[in-house]
Amino acid sequence: MRKNIDIDEAILTKLKILSVFENNSVKGLMEEAVRWFVAQKEKQRLDKLTSEEKEDLGLLLLMQQADRTDLANRDDIMEILNKK
């Protein structure tokens, strides 16, 4: 996806200098910076969750991975529940 953004001239100059040292394009540096920023914000958000919220999130992720077409009959479920 292509998006145009306004960048301060001083920042753009610094990005150009960094791109030379990092052997990367300005676009590449900006993409890397955005990826890092998003990852850090996700990590901060996960760190703030309580253990119960983390369990709920884990269950939600597992439920999203489940095959919705795979069905079990009632007898199988009751048998599993009775084992515990």
Side-chain angles (χ1 to χ4, degrees):
M1 176 184 325
R2 182 176 285 279
K3 295 288 181 182
N4 292 331
I5 59 171
D6 292 327
I7 299 174
D8 183 62
E9 225 19 75
I11 297 295
L12 184 58
T13 303
K14 291 176 183 180
L15 279 170
K16 288 178 181 178
I17 292 170
L18 281 173
S19 70
V20 171
F21 290 130
E22 295 292 322
N23 195 25
N24 199 349
S25 66
V26 171
K27 179 183 178 230
L29 281 177
M30 291 176 67
E31 288 172 346
E32 188 177 323
V34 169
R35 273 194 297 276
W36 178 84
F37 180 80
V38 169
Q40 287 300 110
K41 287 298 177 180
E42 287 174 344
K43 185 178 181 307
Q44 286 175 0
R45 207 159 172 207
L46 285 175
D47 289 344
K48 289 181 182 178
L49 294 177
T50 65
S51 60
E52 185 175 327
E53 290 171 328
K54 287 178 184 177
E55 288 176 7
D56 290 344
L57 182 59
L59 181 58
L60 174 65
L61 293 174
L62 285 174
M63 289 171 61
Q64 288 177 342
Q65 294 174 2
D67 182 9
R68 295 180 186 186
T69 60
D70 189 17
L71 301 175
N73 63 34
R74 185 175 189 272
D75 294 333
D76 292 340
I77 293 171
M78 295 309 288
E79 184 179 319
I80 292 169
L81 291 174
N82 288 332
K83 286 182 181 178
K84 293 184 177 186

